[in-house]
Every structure is written in structure tokens, then in C-alpha cells.
């Protein structure tokens, strides 16, 4: 999925694949930081949530958010995992399996989401 998005950005902007990949990964990394802040702020307060985002953005492995890998997209979509337990989604096994298949397509480690899906 990530390479397709990068290829689309590359086709639209005329940038080469590596520059477009870096821009897309950085945008997804910024979105992942926002997706981390939004649920944390009401629970732990703004200051603690900002510290969590700062540690996420400047930690030892934060460079991965700017490299043309799918990890930034996966981290952007990871906060959607708890939605798998929402009643509307929980009632629809095809929808749950579709969300799970999309997650595993992005990152094979997402197989741990099987726990949220309640599979089998």
C-alpha cells in the first residue's frame, strides 16, 4: 500500500520515488504523532501528552518516521486497532477481517491484532 501511495505522489508531483517516499513517510509520521496526542491529551493532560509525542518524535528510532518505509503509515493506522472492539465493527466479522487483512498487508507484525478481532 505504501509503495502505491508513493508512486501516486511521484506521478502527481514529478518527484523521483525516493524523494516522494521521504515526503509521504514524513507526512504519515506527523499524522502518527497527532494520532498519539489526541487520545492521550484527555487522559493524561496536555503537558504529559506533548512529552509523549516529543519522545515519540525524537526518540532513538524516530528516524524511521522519515525513511521511505511503511512503518510511518502503520503507526498512523495503529490507533485504529481499538476500534475493532467497537460494537458496530465487532458485529461485522467481514469488516473486522478486512481491517485485519489491511493491517497485516502493511506490517506482518500486525498479526497480533488477531487478539482484537477475536479470531477464529
Amino acid at each position: 500500500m505504501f509503495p502505491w501511495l508513493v508512486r501516486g505522489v511521484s506521478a502527481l508531483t514529478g518527484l523521483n520515488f525516493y524523494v516522494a517516499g521521504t515526503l509521504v513517510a514524513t507526512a504519515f509520521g506527523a499524522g502518527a504523532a497527532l494520532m498519539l496526542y489526541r487520545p492521550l491529551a484527555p487522559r493524561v493532560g496536555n503537558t504529559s501528552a506533548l512529552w509523549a509525542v516529543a519522545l515519540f518524535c525524537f526518540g532513538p528510532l524516530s528516524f524511521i518516521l522519515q525513511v521511505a518505509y511503511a512503518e510511518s503509515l502503520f503507526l498512523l493506522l495503529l490507533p485504529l486497532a481499538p476500534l475493532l472492539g467497537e460494537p458496530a465493527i465487532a458485529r461485522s466479522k467481514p469488516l473486522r477481517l478486512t481491517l485485519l487483512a489491511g493491517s497485516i498487508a502493511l506490517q506482518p507484525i500486525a498479526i497480533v491484532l488477531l487478539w482484537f478481532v477475536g479470531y477464529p
Side-chain angles (χ1 to χ4, degrees):
M1 187 163 140
F2 184 81
W4 296 335
L5 292 170
V6 173
R7 188 171 296 146
V9 169
S10 180
L12 288 174
T13 61
L15 297 170
N16 70 22
F17 184 83
Y18 302 107
V19 174
T22 302
L23 291 175
V24 169
T26 303
F28 285 145
L34 290 174
M35 291 298 288
L36 176 65
Y37 175 80
R38 292 198 62 189
L40 280 179
R43 290 184 175 95
V44 298
N46 288 334
T47 304
S48 296
L50 285 173
W51 274 107
V53 170
L55 291 173
F56 173 75
C57 290
F58 298 107
L61 293 176
S62 62
F63 69 90
I64 204 73
L65 299 174
Q66 301 166 5
V67 179
Y69 293 138
E71 277 76 5
S72 57
L73 177 59
F74 177 70
L75 289 172
L76 174 67
L77 299 177
L78 188 63
L80 298 177
L83 293 178
L84 295 174
E86 291 293 319
I89 295 175
R91 284 191 297 264
S92 172
K93 190 165 186 171
L95 181 57
R96 288 186 298 161
L97 292 177
T98 302
L99 289 172
L100 177 67
S103 299
I104 292 173
L106 286 172
Q107 284 290 357
I109 194 69
I111 203 142
V112 298
L113 292 177
L114 286 173
W115 182 75
F116 286 106
V117 176
Y119 187 79

